[in-house]
Amino acid sequence: MGGDPVSKPSVRRYLKTLAPGTPLRAGLDRILHGRTGALIVLGNNSHVQQVSSGGFKIGVETTEQSLRELAKLDGAIVLSNDLSQIVAAGVHLVPGGDLPTAETGTRHRSADRTSQAAGLPVVTVSASMSTISMFYEGRRHVVETVPQVTSRANQTLAALSRVSTRVSELLEQFTPLEIAEQVTLRDLTHVVHRLELARRLSAEMQFHVDLLGVEGRMVALQHAELVANFSGLGALLEQDYSGNVPDPADLDLGKLHNFSHDELFSGQLVAERLGFGPNPNLEQHVETRGIRLLTTLGRLPSSLVTKLINDFSLQELFGASVGVLMEIDGIGPTRARQIRDALIRVSETS
């Protein structure tokens, strides 16, 4: 199986249900502290029924207390598909012995094979190892403790902060080049490269936040503050520079999502992927429509930005007087002065 299995939406969704603050995680923690161990199937279908033997149906609400008490019994606990009900307890799981597994312990081996047979996650609580694990699609995912996830989250935050700062620094250099019509393809790939790094770190950070649940409030706030620095920037760059490639649809930053780290550092490969042709000249000049500049720096609404870029080039716009701006349909004296002041601020800041 290629890629990081934890990055799969289905795996992440199930791990999120085991985050601190959820009833299921509270129950697992109580079982762990009670040192009794447990085997819990997260869902119920015909395949679960086929590998189940014995036990008894109960149909009670999934609470930390009910999980803790039923875990004292021999056998597995089976939950409903929405995890809100305990369907059965004391169940003996007998999946096929021909299903491959690298696990040696009886409970973990049974969990792995049951998960493969049923296509559902199976969670184990190991009293001897003091660990919680989730088996899904032939893989074992250890459910980390809050301090472990918090440590990784802080490391990711620090990296994201550095990249976010670098994106801001690049844009401070980029904006004057746009105003002077001196942006090269190399300049554009530098910004795009850092923006993709920021996106990846942000996605990783969001995963940590999901795993932390109610314990992740502070890091979630810090994450949101950093993301605000570059949120929506990619879409604005696509709109600004799509006119420089034969097919505007090719300039899609989403095409860089599956780039390796080494590929992302190559301006040539990034430019090729974004539609600038084979062996593109990174020193060639590229033209901007000015959408990012007017939207993020001028603080102008998108509808007004569209009117302005349809009627003026960026150079014409910076030289336009209040009177000229008033000639645009829907722009009166007050709005014209606001636009002119915004353009002056952009120019002075740059």
Side-chain angles (χ1 to χ4, degrees):
M1 185 184 299
D4 178 8
V6 176
S7 67
K8 296 184 64 175
S10 57
V11 174
R12 295 182 63 157
R13 175 168 59 87
Y14 281 118
L15 286 175
K16 189 175 180 179
T17 66
L18 303 177
T22 61
L24 184 54
R25 178 60 178 270
L28 294 175
D29 285 339
R30 290 189 66 166
I31 295 169
L32 190 62
H33 294 152
R35 305 190 65 80
T36 54
L39 183 60
I40 304 174
V41 183
L42 304 188
N44 187 28
N45 57 28
S46 60
H47 300 294
V48 174
Q49 300 302 318
Q50 289 172 8
V51 300
S52 297
S53 174
F56 53 92
K57 297 181 180 180
I58 48 178
V60 300
E61 182 183 358
T62 303
T63 65
E64 55 184 287
Q65 294 85 0
S66 59
L67 285 171
R68 171 70 182 93
E69 293 304 314
L70 291 171
K72 296 177 182 178
L73 303 173
D74 289 334
I77 296 171
V78 178
L79 303 184
S80 60
N81 289 325
D82 64 0
L83 310 183
S84 66
Q85 298 282 316
I86 297 177
V87 176
V91 177
H92 181 49
L93 299 175
V94 285
D98 57 338
L99 291 171
T101 180
E103 300 298 329
T104 55
T106 302
R107 180 180 286 130
H108 288 164
R109 189 167 61 243
S110 178
D112 190 7
R113 285 175 170 161
T114 298
S115 174
Q116 293 180 57
L120 293 169
V122 179
V123 173
T124 63
V125 179
S126 173
S128 60
M129 299 177 63
S130 296
T131 58
I132 301 172
S133 301
M134 184 185 79
F135 291 85
Y136 189 50
E137 297 182 337
R139 295 181 181 271
R140 179 182 181 183
H141 306 276
V142 176
V143 179
E144 296 176 296
T145 64
V146 169
Q148 288 172 325
V149 180
T150 300
S151 176
R152 289 195 294 110
N154 286 331
Q155 292 175 14
T156 305
L157 268 179
L160 179 58
S161 178
R162 291 192 296 270
V163 174
S164 177
T165 298
R166 183 54 181 153
V167 169
S168 297
E169 292 172 349
L170 285 173
L171 289 177
E172 287 179 3
Q173 305 165 18
F174 197 67
T175 298
L177 293 175
E178 286 189 320
I179 294 175
E181 297 183 332
Q182 294 297 312
V183 176
T184 66
L185 184 53
R186 186 184 302 278
D187 297 321
L188 179 60
T189 59
H190 281 172
V191 173
V192 166
H193 162 243
R194 293 294 173 175
L195 194 59
E196 172 60 15
L197 286 181
R199 186 202 65 80
R200 294 182 184 189
L201 287 168
S202 177
E204 182 179 334
M205 189 60 225
Q206 185 57 56
F207 179 50
H208 298 330
V209 170
D210 289 344
L211 291 185
L212 286 170
V214 295
E215 301 292 336
R217 289 186 294 266
M218 291 305 298
V219 291
L221 289 173
Q222 293 174 275
H223 176 220
E225 185 177 359
L226 287 173
V227 168
N229 293 333
F230 55 85
S231 179
L233 179 57
L236 295 177
L237 289 174
E238 290 172 351
Q239 295 176 61
D240 268 342
Y241 291 93
S242 60
N244 293 275
V245 296
D247 184 355
D250 283 341
L251 210 158
D252 176 5
L253 302 193
K255 293 182 176 181
L256 303 179
H257 292 357
N258 64 350
F259 257 31
S260 70
H261 192 69
D262 290 338
E263 289 174 326
L264 196 58
F265 268 95
S266 169
Q268 288 282 144
L269 291 177
V270 169
E272 286 182 16
R273 178 60 65 91
L274 296 181
F276 287 91
N279 300 314
N281 176 14
L282 296 182
E283 304 310 319
Q284 66 176 295
H285 284 87
V286 288
E287 296 180 357
T288 178
R289 299 178 68 194
I291 299 173
R292 179 198 69 86
L293 193 150
L294 296 174
T295 301
T296 61
L297 299 182
R299 303 290 189 267
L300 301 178
S302 59
S303 58
L304 186 52
V305 169
T306 300
K307 282 186 177 182
L308 293 173
I309 63 172
N310 286 340
D311 286 18
F312 298 94
S313 69
L314 195 57
Q315 287 295 306
E316 290 173 340
L317 193 56
F318 274 93
S321 65
V322 171
V324 171
L325 293 171
M326 287 174 59
E327 295 176 4
I328 300 176
D329 184 39
I331 297 181
T334 301
R335 176 63 85 179
R337 283 193 293 270
Q338 290 175 341
I339 296 171
R340 184 61 192 154
D341 290 344
L343 294 172
I344 292 173
R345 285 197 303 272
V346 170
S347 182
E348 290 176 346
T349 302
S350 303

